[in-house]
Every structure is written in structure tokens, then in C-alpha cells.
Amino acid sequence: MNQSHALKILQSGDNVFLTGSAGSGKTFLLNQFIEYLRTNKTKVGITASTGIAATHINGRTIHSWCGMGIAKKMTGKQIKKLLKRKDLFKRIKEAQVLIIDEISMLDATCLDLVDKICKAAKNPFSPFGGMQIVLCGDFFQLPPIGKDAEFSFQAFSWEESGIKVCYLDEQFRQDDSEFLKVLNKIRTNEAGEKELAILKTRLNKKVTHLPKVTKLYTHNMNVDVLNQTELSNIDQVPEVFQMTEQGPKELVEFLKKSYPVAQELKLKLGAVVMFIKNNYEAGYVNGTLGEVVDFDSEGFPVIKTKNKNGIVAKPASWNIEEDKAILASIKQIPLRLAWAITVHKSQGMSLDAAEIDLSKSFERGMGYVALSRVRALDSICLIGINEMALKVNELVVKKDKEFQKLSDAN
């Protein structure tokens, strides 16, 4: 299906699953649809399964939008209490369309919880309270986190919603036909020695036609080591920011484990950073990339991003609350170093070039996500690769054929 056909189906008001391979223009089309809704003054909830995915559509996480936070299950009593928050109730009650991007990383239990909350706020007899639901993503990419987590297409709410599938089959990111064939072989679980040999032609081959490349690693540990090395290469005394905390030790420790907040954050001019919290008024969300260009009169870092120059990164808080009372809190500058990022954080990005280490791939789909961020094979410097990097989920391969047939029928 091409984009114009998919857009007409989206505009019809049907519940839709918008999918397609990496680089097929899903996010571009989603932004077109959002612009259409705004032009027609349709109230829309713009969300994604992760903070960095939300940045691509100028939205927020679905967990934040519907108020469920890190919860996966809530009782009717808990939902009723949640909806006593006037701002939250108003947001859901008035929304006519709900968009969830990068749906592959939202598990079935969470999607069903979103459905229950929306029903409680709007109409208990209609899926998602009667809103038009637009789910966007590619299940060949990273799956939901958790040992027993099910894909969102296995959710009761998905089945109940009568979702129409729009499967985009054009390709806008990759213009390298040989590389595209390799990606498609990985996508269908048919990649073998031939595809591996093609990828290995880029082993330790530097990208010479571009001055800067993004480094992608499968594990946080490798990312942290490289970021600290790059910081030490800047010949300056670092500005140091210490985390502050308050509340019972066990609750504070829970906050520290739940959020990627540095106990001690060291920054220098020229450091590449990523915001780790949403602040729409200040002009950033979780995942916004930038560079430290100054420190203001109070000593806070000033960040230049792709879309905005001069964002002052002031301390932010991560709290555990109950009945509007703060039980525990940690406070820190909402930044982390970002010369290197994990494959998980890269999902949804388009990169001109990348240095990729897949030697420790531990999850099906991980190699596909990392490799498909890049436009051409000669724009990749491959540090290493293992067998897992060429694999995708068997259930997804089977389900994808069904999605293609449903899309053709539409």
C-alpha cells in the first residue's frame, strides 16, 4: 500500500495499524495525519511506547498520557482514583483520536490497560472509549521488555477494536539495493552465509565520506565506557552535578533503578548529550539529542539541539507520589552523555552513518533495528556481529504475512 491510500484510510476514522519495513515512511505519514487532524481541529492524543520514539512525533509516552506510569495492571478502584486527576480526565475525555507510535515495544497487558482507562473515562461499551485508535510500528523491530511479555497484537483490546491494517511497501530510507536485499532477508528470517558475508565486508571499515558517525551498542556498559572516554578527551575541567534525594531508602533506590539518572553527572563544553525527561515548555523531551554550548550564570548547562538553541537544562525531579503527596524524590540535571547510544534508544531514528557493534546481540530483531537505521552499506562501520543479529521473531514472521494480506484487502 502506498502512503496516499493509507492516509485516506486514516482519514476515514477507522481504527488503524500502520506498519511497514524500516524506512517505509511510517513516521512521516503519521505526522501528515497529525497535521490533518489539527487542521480540522480534532483533539488528538499523540503518544509513543518510549520517550525517544515520542520525540519523532512531538508527543509523550502513552504511560504518561493515560496516567498509568510504570503500572501494567490496575484494579477498577485504582483506575477510578486515577481519573480523579482533573487534567488527566479532561485529556482523555476530550480526545477523539489516540495515536501510539512504536507499538512493537508496548506489550499486550499495557495496551489492555490503556483500553480500560479510556473506557472508564469515556464510554465503557466501546473499545478505547470510542476513540479512533492509530497504532504505528513494525513488529520486526524491538519487542516489549519482559520475559513473559506478549506482543500488543495478542491483546484483547486489539482484537476487539476491528483494526484495519495499512502496510506501507515503498522504501524511502535505503537507496542501496544490495543492502536492502540483506535487510529483507533478515526480516523474513532467511539471512544466511551470503548475507553475513556481505555485512562482513564492512567489518572495521571506516566511513570516510562523513566526518561524524553515531555509535550504536547493544549494552549500556559499552555505551557508558565510550561516553566517558570521549568526555575525558575534552581538555577542560568538568562541571559536576550531584544528585540529591529525599525519602525512605527503599523508595529512593526504586527511583534510581527505574530511571537513567546519574548520581554524579560530569559535563564539559562540546559534550554530546541526551535529555532524559520530558519538559515541553522548555523545548525538550526524553530522547532529545544536543550539545553543551555554554553554562549560564547559575552554572547550569546550556544545550543546543537540532530544533532549538539555548535550552538551559535546570534540575528536574523524579518522584513517587500518593494522593498528591511526594513520598520519595531524586533530583538531577536531566541529561546523559550521548556520543554512543544503545540500539534500543536508536529505534525510529534515521542515521546518515553509524559505527555498529552487534557482537553481543542478545535479542531477536536487534540486528535488524541497528542496521536498518542507516541508508547505505558503505555508511556502516561494523565492529562485530553474531548469529543472533541475523534473527527475528518466528511468530512475527508468521503474523507479518497475515498483516500483508489484510492490507491488500483494504
Side-chain angles (χ1 to χ4, degrees):
M1 182 181 293
N2 63 32
Q3 291 196 353
S4 60
H5 283 138
L7 185 59
K8 286 177 183 175
I9 294 173
L10 286 165
Q11 291 171 344
S12 73
D14 287 320
N15 293 334
V16 170
F17 170 44
L18 178 63
T19 190
S21 64
S24 60
K26 297 183 292 294
T27 302
F28 176 81
L29 181 57
L30 209 52
N31 280 316
Q32 274 192 307
F33 180 55
I34 291 166
E35 186 59 35
Y36 164 82
L37 293 173
R38 286 173 170 162
T39 300
N40 287 277
K41 297 183 178 175
T42 303
K43 290 194 177 290
V44 55
I46 304 169
T47 77
S49 59
T50 67
I52 196 160
T55 68
H56 304 303
I57 51 173
N58 296 315
R60 62 199 298 176
T61 64
I62 182 61
H63 309 76
S64 167
W65 187 85
C66 71
M68 66 187 190
I70 60 174
K72 287 198 172 186
K73 291 184 179 180
M74 296 177 80
T75 64
K77 188 177 180 181
Q78 288 172 318
I79 291 172
K80 190 175 180 180
K81 183 179 178 181
L82 178 71
L83 292 173
K84 286 182 179 179
R85 286 172 46 189
K86 290 181 180 178
D87 59 331
L88 178 69
F89 179 78
K90 185 173 184 285
R91 178 164 66 240
I92 300 173
K93 184 74 174 174
E94 293 183 351
Q96 297 162 271
V97 181
L98 175 60
I99 293 169
I100 308 177
D101 196 13
E102 296 293 4
I103 192 65
S104 73
M105 294 183 74
L106 190 74
D107 68 42
T109 305
C110 284
L111 187 63
D112 281 341
L113 180 54
V114 174
D115 174 53
K116 288 174 185 174
I117 292 170
C118 292
K119 281 177 175 174
K122 295 171 74 69
N123 180 350
F125 304 108
S126 295
F128 295 93
M131 282 186 284
Q132 179 189 6
I133 301 302
V134 176
L135 309 175
C136 180
D138 177 16
F139 287 104
F140 283 103
Q141 300 194 37
L142 293 169
I145 296 170
K147 186 180 177 182
D148 299 317
E150 291 187 309
F151 290 105
S152 53
F153 60 70
Q154 297 171 285
F156 171 76
S157 53
W158 182 297
E159 186 178 337
E160 187 190 33
S161 298
I163 289 171
K164 283 192 173 182
V165 179
C166 293
Y167 200 119
L168 300 179
D169 52 20
E170 296 172 291
Q171 179 54 238
F172 299 98
R173 182 180 297 153
Q174 279 86 27
D175 51 13
D176 178 335
S177 59
E178 183 182 44
F179 183 42
L180 192 55
K181 286 177 185 176
V182 172
L183 292 177
N184 287 336
K185 284 289 186 180
I186 296 174
R187 190 179 173 86
T188 53
N189 251 356
E190 296 173 336
E193 290 300 321
K194 181 183 176 182
E195 288 70 34
L196 184 60
I198 292 170
L199 291 172
K200 282 185 174 179
T201 63
R202 297 305 304 168
L203 269 175
N204 300 310
K205 293 286 180 68
K206 296 298 179 185
V207 178
T208 57
H209 58 281
L210 288 169
K212 285 186 177 181
V213 297
T214 303
K215 295 176 174 63
L216 300 183
Y217 291 91
T218 53
H219 288 71
N220 276 309
M221 183 178 69
N222 301 99
V223 167
D224 293 341
V225 167
L226 191 139
N227 283 330
Q228 291 302 325
T229 300
E230 290 288 345
L231 186 70
S232 66
N233 288 338
I234 299 175
D235 189 18
Q236 296 170 22
V237 177
E239 298 292 332
V240 182
F241 303 90
Q242 298 288 347
M243 176 196 291
T244 59
E245 55 192 62
Q246 66 176 64
K249 185 179 179 181
E250 63 274 14
L251 294 182
V252 168
E253 288 305 312
F254 174 80
L255 284 169
K256 289 180 181 179
K257 288 178 182 177
S258 300
Y259 299 100
V261 185
Q263 186 80 41
E264 182 179 78
L265 178 67
K266 294 181 179 180
L267 297 175
K268 299 176 183 179
L269 292 178
V272 179
V273 293
M274 178 187 287
F275 282 94
I276 55 172
K277 192 173 176 67
N278 294 332
N279 188 328
Y280 305 101
E281 293 76 21
Y284 64 82
V285 293
N286 184 7
T288 299
L289 288 163
E291 180 182 332
V292 179
V293 292
D294 199 1
F295 293 94
D296 73 358
S297 58
E298 295 179 84
F300 298 131
V302 180
I303 312 300
K304 180 182 180 181
T305 69
K306 183 180 178 182
N307 299 318
K308 194 169 181 180
N309 194 3
I311 299 174
V312 179
K314 294 188 175 182
S317 296
W318 289 260
N319 305 325
I320 294 176
E321 299 181 22
E322 189 174 289
D323 294 329
K324 295 185 179 179
I326 296 175
L327 302 181
S329 175
I330 56 176
K331 194 172 186 179
Q332 178 60 288
I333 303 293
L335 295 172
R336 65 180 298 175
L337 299 175
W339 277 280
I341 57 177
T342 60
V343 173
H344 275 85
K345 287 284 186 184
S346 77
Q347 185 158 306
M349 291 180 172
S350 290
L351 303 173
D352 293 322
E355 186 177 293
I356 304 172
D357 186 358
L358 295 173
S359 62
K360 298 175 185 175
S361 299
F362 59 90
E363 193 169 64
R364 288 174 181 262
M366 190 167 263
Y368 179 72
V369 169
L371 294 167
S372 63
R373 297 310 93 208
V374 188
R375 303 178 195 282
L377 188 62
D378 67 359
S379 295
I380 293 173
C381 172
L382 193 62
I383 303 302
I385 189 167
N386 65 8
E387 280 188 30
M388 181 60 78
L390 297 181
K391 294 179 180 179
V392 292
N393 188 285
E394 291 285 1
L395 174 61
V396 171
V397 174
K398 184 179 177 180
K399 191 69 179 179
D400 190 66
K401 291 174 182 175
E402 183 185 322
F403 285 146
Q404 290 188 47
K405 287 179 182 177
L406 289 170
S407 180
D408 291 342
N410 287 330

